Each structure stands twice: as structure tokens, then as C-alpha cells.
Amino acid sequence: MILSKEYTTQIRRAFVLAKKDIRIYYFKGPVIIFGVLIPLFLFFAFSIGRNIPINSLVSGLLAMTLFFTATAVSPVIIPWETTMRTLERLVSTPISLSTIILGNIIASFIFAVIISAVPIIVGVIMGATIENLLILIAGIVIAALCFSSIGLLLSTPPSSMPSTIMMLASLLKFPLIFVSGIFIPVEQMPGWGQAIAVFSPLTYFTDLARHATQGIGYFPVFVDIGVLIAFTALFLFAAATLHRRNLSKRL
């Protein structure tokens, strides 16, 4: 009973931290730029002059928007907290490091889910259809958690300079969008491209988005969902382990 109460308390504290992170870090111009405008410009730059169906546009734009939004701020929150000495203050309170990590993930998850509605609404207005709403919702929820976990994993290097972490994050994020079936479906990639694509979690959400909006996909739906869940568990475990190991180097 006492253990259950402690877990409930820590979860409540995680939501308080998430509220703080959203208020301080997420309602900023750069988040909108990296989460919405950059995916929009990138996708339309590759689609202009090509006869791409609106449903295909929506699935690709949704995948990029969710990925970029979930990883826009989460990699740099802990470095920012380290620079401002607020991380030291947090860990000296009755809040575990796992709670701090969970709070960051919750903030990123909530914001990513909300912003992901933008390409869906725009697409529906332009005539796109949703073939399977349940797959779409399930995919967004699982992928938002997965991509938020990637953001926390990217923040594990013991650096107090957000610019360093952002550079590392960009080196990972931009190559992933080109090998994950967003611009070229996985089935149309050469063999080496398909081999790389299977190691990207973004591939599986892009495939789920295609199932939901186009009724087709490269992998079965249960494979997409299962692999995304496996990636999420792996990223969460790695992020928690590395943050514990590097905490003393930050303080």
C-alpha cells in the first residue's frame, strides 16, 4: 500500500514537471518552426511537380510533424536545466531521476500529439480521407511516446550546452526522414535502402500512417505496432540507464 502510494506521488510529480516544461520550453517559436514549418517546407519541396495523392501527402507530413515535434525540445531540456542549475535543485528534492525523465517524456508526448492534429486537419480540409481511425490514433500515441523517448536518449551526453545536443540531434533526425519511407515508400527503395529502413522507428510509424490514410502498407499493422513498442522500451531503458550514469557529471 505504501509502495503504491509512493508511485502515485511520483507520477503526480511527473505531471507537475511536465506542466512546467510545456509552459517554459514548448510554447516557443522554434518549436513551431522545427515541429511544423520545417516538415511542411521539406515535404512540399519534394512533392512539387510530382503527382502525389493527397492521402500520401498527409501520411508523410504527419510522420515528419510528429517526429520533429516530439524531438524538438526534449533533447535539450536537461542540458538547459543543468546550465541554469535547476537540475541540481530538482534532484535535491524528493523527486527521483526517473520522475524527472518521465516528466520530460510526458511534456514531449502531449505536445507532439496535439501538434500532430495540424497535418490531419489540413489534409481533411484538402480532401484527404481516414481509412482507419483506430490505427491512426494508436499509431500516433505509440509513436509519440517512442519519439519522445528518443529525445530523452539524445539528451544523455553530460553536456550543459544545448547547442551541442541540438547538433547531435540534427545529425540523427535529418538522415532518418530520408530512409524511413516518407518521400519514397519502402517497397520502392533499393535493397540497401530497405535494409537501413528497418532499423528506423520512423519507418514503422510512417507505415502505420499509410495504413490509416491509404489502406496500404509495407509491413502488417501488428508488426509496425510491435516494433514501435519494442523501440520505445529500448529507448526508455537506455535513456534511464545513461542519465543515472551521467548524473554525477552534470552536478
Side-chain angles (χ1 to χ4, degrees), residues 3-74:
L3 187 61
S4 176
K5 184 178 180 180
E6 177 62 24
Y7 277 125
T8 302
T9 300
Q10 291 296 329
I11 291 174
R12 186 166 61 249
R13 290 170 179 169
F15 275 96
V16 172
L17 290 174
K19 181 179 178 181
K20 180 265 296 181
D21 288 342
I22 291 175
R23 187 178 66 251
I24 295 176
Y25 301 113
Y26 283 86
F27 288 110
K28 305 283 187 183
V31 179
I32 304 300
I33 292 173
F34 280 97
V36 178
L37 295 184
I38 286 183
L40 183 66
F41 293 151
L42 273 175
F43 202 85
F44 279 112
F46 276 84
S47 63
I48 291 175
R50 300 171 62 191
N51 187 22
I52 301 178
I54 184 64
N55 279 22
S56 180
L57 285 173
V58 171
S59 62
L61 186 57
L62 172 61
M64 280 202 298
T65 299
L66 187 64
F67 181 61
F68 273 79
T69 304
T71 57
V73 180
S74 52

Side-chain angles (χ1 to χ4, degrees), residues 169-199:
S170 297
L171 288 175
L172 172 69
K173 291 192 296 184
F174 282 97
L176 280 184
I177 67 172
F178 293 104
V179 299
S180 300
I182 293 177
F183 301 114
I184 303 175
V186 176
E187 61 269 19
Q188 296 179 18
M189 291 181 177
W192 61 267
Q194 294 179 4
I196 295 174
V198 298
F199 294 102

Side-chain angles (χ1 to χ4, degrees), residues 1-241:
M1 183 68 180
I2 296 177
L3 187 61
S4 176
K5 184 178 180 180
E6 177 62 24
Y7 277 125
T8 302
T9 300
Q10 291 296 329
I11 291 174
R12 186 166 61 249
R13 290 170 179 169
F15 275 96
V16 172
L17 290 174
K19 181 179 178 181
K20 180 265 296 181
D21 288 342
I22 291 175
R23 187 178 66 251
I24 295 176
Y25 301 113
Y26 283 86
F27 288 110
K28 305 283 187 183
V31 179
I32 304 300
I33 292 173
F34 280 97
V36 178
L37 295 184
I38 286 183
L40 183 66
F41 293 151
L42 273 175
F43 202 85
F44 279 112
F46 276 84
S47 63
I48 291 175
R50 300 171 62 191
N51 187 22
I52 301 178
I54 184 64
N55 279 22
S56 180
L57 285 173
V58 171
S59 62
L61 186 57
L62 172 61
M64 280 202 298
T65 299
L66 187 64
F67 181 61
F68 273 79
T69 304
T71 57
V73 180
S74 52
V76 295
I77 290 179
I78 289 183
W80 265 331
E81 299 273 9
T82 303
T83 301
M84 296 183 293
R85 310 302 297 177
T86 52
L87 179 63
E88 184 176 350
R89 190 184 311 162
L90 281 174
V91 297
S92 64
T93 62
I95 299 177
S96 67
L97 180 60
S98 296
T99 301
I100 296 173
I101 293 173
L102 179 60
N104 291 342
I105 289 177
I106 291 172
S108 178
F109 170 84
I110 292 174
F111 206 79
V113 169
I114 292 173
I115 296 298
S116 68
V118 174
I120 296 174
I121 293 172
V122 172
V124 170
I125 292 174
M126 295 176 63
T129 58
I130 306 299
E131 299 289 335
N132 194 312
L133 184 60
L134 182 60
I135 290 177
L136 183 64
I137 293 174
I140 289 174
V141 170
I142 298 170
L145 182 58
C146 181
F147 299 155
S148 299
S149 303
I150 292 177
L152 264 294
L153 182 60
L154 290 171
S155 70
T156 55
S159 172
S160 60
M161 297 182 63
S163 58
T164 301
I165 302 300
M166 287 299 291
M167 180 180 67
L168 293 174
S170 297
L171 288 175
L172 172 69
K173 291 192 296 184
F174 282 97
L176 280 184
I177 67 172
F178 293 104
V179 299
S180 300
I182 293 177
F183 301 114
I184 303 175
V186 176
E187 61 269 19
Q188 296 179 18
M189 291 181 177
W192 61 267
Q194 294 179 4
I196 295 174
V198 298
F199 294 102
S200 169
L202 182 56
T203 297
Y204 301 95
F205 175 65
T206 304
D207 200 54
L208 275 177
R210 292 182 65 201
H211 275 291
T213 58
Q214 301 172 253
I216 58 172
Y218 183 73
F219 302 104
V221 171
F222 73 88
V223 171
D224 290 326
I225 293 176
V227 174
L228 278 175
I229 292 174
F231 269 122
T232 302
L234 175 63
F235 295 145
L236 283 173
F237 176 78
T241 301

